[in-house]
PDB file of all heavy atoms in Angstrom:
ATOM      1  N   VAL A 217      75.068-228.812 -11.592  1.00 97.00           N
ATOM      2  CA  VAL A 217      75.505-229.725 -12.664  1.00 97.00           C
ATOM      3  C   VAL A 217      76.452-228.948 -13.577  1.00 97.00           C
ATOM      4  O   VAL A 217      76.118-227.859 -14.047  1.00 97.00           O
ATOM      5  CB  VAL A 217      74.293-230.260 -13.458  1.00 97.00           C
ATOM      6  CG1 VAL A 217      74.759-231.103 -14.638  1.00 97.00           C
ATOM      7  CG2 VAL A 217      73.381-231.074 -12.543  1.00 97.00           C
ATOM      8  N   GLN A 218      77.616-229.506 -13.837  1.00 96.00           N
ATOM      9  CA  GLN A 218      78.652-228.756 -14.553  1.00 96.00           C
ATOM     10  C   GLN A 218      78.535-228.837 -16.080  1.00 96.00           C
ATOM     11  O   GLN A 218      79.042-227.981 -16.784  1.00 96.00           O
ATOM     12  CB  GLN A 218      80.048-229.224 -14.105  1.00 96.00           C
ATOM     13  CG  GLN A 218      80.299-229.057 -12.604  1.00 96.00           C
ATOM     14  CD  GLN A 218      80.015-227.637 -12.132  1.00 96.00           C
ATOM     15  OE1 GLN A 218      80.443-226.661 -12.750  1.00 96.00           O
ATOM     16  NE2 GLN A 218      79.272-227.501 -11.033  1.00 96.00           N
ATOM     17  N   HIS A 219      77.921-229.911 -16.586  1.00 98.00           N
ATOM     18  CA  HIS A 219      77.807-230.069 -18.048  1.00 98.00           C
ATOM     19  C   HIS A 219      76.386-230.485 -18.381  1.00 98.00           C
ATOM     20  O   HIS A 219      76.039-231.661 -18.237  1.00 98.00           O
ATOM     21  CB  HIS A 219      78.762-231.138 -18.570  1.00 98.00           C
ATOM     22  CG  HIS A 219      80.197-230.877 -18.216  1.00 98.00           C
ATOM     23  ND1 HIS A 219      80.760-231.333 -17.063  1.00 98.00           N
ATOM     24  CD2 HIS A 219      81.159-230.175 -18.864  1.00 98.00           C
ATOM     25  CE1 HIS A 219      82.023-230.916 -17.007  1.00 98.00           C
ATOM     26  NE2 HIS A 219      82.288-230.213 -18.078  1.00 98.00           N
ATOM     27  N   LEU A 220      75.582-229.515 -18.782  1.00 98.00           N
ATOM     28  CA  LEU A 220      74.196-229.893 -19.083  1.00 98.00           C
ATOM     29  C   LEU A 220      73.742-229.334 -20.432  1.00 98.00           C
ATOM     30  O   LEU A 220      74.250-228.317 -20.905  1.00 98.00           O
ATOM     31  CB  LEU A 220      73.247-229.452 -17.969  1.00 98.00           C
ATOM     32  CG  LEU A 220      72.881-227.980 -17.804  1.00 98.00           C
ATOM     33  CD1 LEU A 220      71.731-227.567 -18.708  1.00 98.00           C
ATOM     34  CD2 LEU A 220      72.471-227.735 -16.355  1.00 98.00           C
ATOM     35  N   ILE A 221      72.810-230.049 -21.030  1.00 98.00           N
ATOM     36  CA  ILE A 221      72.201-229.596 -22.284  1.00 98.00           C
ATOM     37  C   ILE A 221      70.691-229.523 -22.081  1.00 98.00           C
ATOM     38  O   ILE A 221      70.078-230.464 -21.577  1.00 98.00           O
ATOM     39  CB  ILE A 221      72.542-230.550 -23.455  1.00 98.00           C
ATOM     40  CG1 ILE A 221      74.058-230.578 -23.686  1.00 98.00           C
ATOM     41  CG2 ILE A 221      71.827-230.101 -24.732  1.00 98.00           C
ATOM     42  CD1 ILE A 221      74.512-231.528 -24.785  1.00 98.00           C
ATOM     43  N   TYR A 222      70.134-228.378 -22.431  1.00 98.00           N
ATOM     44  CA  TYR A 222      68.688-228.189 -22.358  1.00 98.00           C
ATOM     45  C   TYR A 222      68.162-228.244 -23.784  1.00 98.00           C
ATOM     46  O   TYR A 222      68.612-227.491 -24.645  1.00 98.00           O
ATOM     47  CB  TYR A 222      68.394-226.826 -21.724  1.00 98.00           C
ATOM     48  CG  TYR A 222      66.938-226.412 -21.742  1.00 98.00           C
ATOM     49  CD1 TYR A 222      66.066-226.822 -20.741  1.00 98.00           C
ATOM     50  CD2 TYR A 222      66.448-225.605 -22.763  1.00 98.00           C
ATOM     51  CE1 TYR A 222      64.728-226.434 -20.758  1.00 98.00           C
ATOM     52  CE2 TYR A 222      65.110-225.212 -22.782  1.00 98.00           C
ATOM     53  CZ  TYR A 222      64.265-225.634 -21.771  1.00 98.00           C
ATOM     54  OH  TYR A 222      62.941-225.249 -21.794  1.00 98.00           O
ATOM     55  N   VAL A 223      67.241-229.165 -24.031  1.00 98.00           N
ATOM     56  CA  VAL A 223      66.673-229.317 -25.359  1.00 98.00           C
ATOM     57  C   VAL A 223      65.274-228.716 -25.360  1.00 98.00           C
ATOM     58  O   VAL A 223      64.385-229.194 -24.661  1.00 98.00           O
ATOM     59  CB  VAL A 223      66.612-230.811 -25.755  1.00 98.00           C
ATOM     60  CG1 VAL A 223      65.924-230.976 -27.099  1.00 98.00           C
ATOM     61  CG2 VAL A 223      68.015-231.400 -25.800  1.00 98.00           C
ATOM     62  N   SER A 224      65.114-227.627 -26.092  1.00 98.00           N
ATOM     63  CA  SER A 224      63.816-226.967 -26.163  1.00 98.00           C
ATOM     64  C   SER A 224      63.066-227.551 -27.358  1.00 98.00           C
ATOM     65  O   SER A 224      63.467-227.367 -28.506  1.00 98.00           O
ATOM     66  CB  SER A 224      64.040-225.468 -26.358  1.00 98.00           C
ATOM     67  OG  SER A 224      62.833-224.858 -26.724  1.00 98.00           O
ATOM     68  N   ALA A 225      61.998-228.284 -27.083  1.00 97.00           N
ATOM     69  CA  ALA A 225      61.262-228.926 -28.170  1.00 97.00           C
ATOM     70  C   ALA A 225      59.794-228.530 -28.117  1.00 97.00           C
ATOM     71  O   ALA A 225      59.163-228.585 -27.054  1.00 97.00           O
ATOM     72  CB  ALA A 225      61.412-230.446 -28.083  1.00 97.00           C
ATOM     73  N   GLY A 226      59.274-228.113 -29.237  1.00 96.00           N
ATOM     74  CA  GLY A 226      57.877-227.689 -29.341  1.00 96.00           C
ATOM     75  C   GLY A 226      57.581-227.440 -30.809  1.00 96.00           C
ATOM     76  O   GLY A 226      57.625-228.366 -31.616  1.00 96.00           O
TER      77      GLY A 226
END
Side-chain angles (χ1 to χ4, degrees):
V217 175
Q218 301 307 313
H219 303 89
L220 74 84
I221 298 178
Y222 173 86
V223 176
S224 167

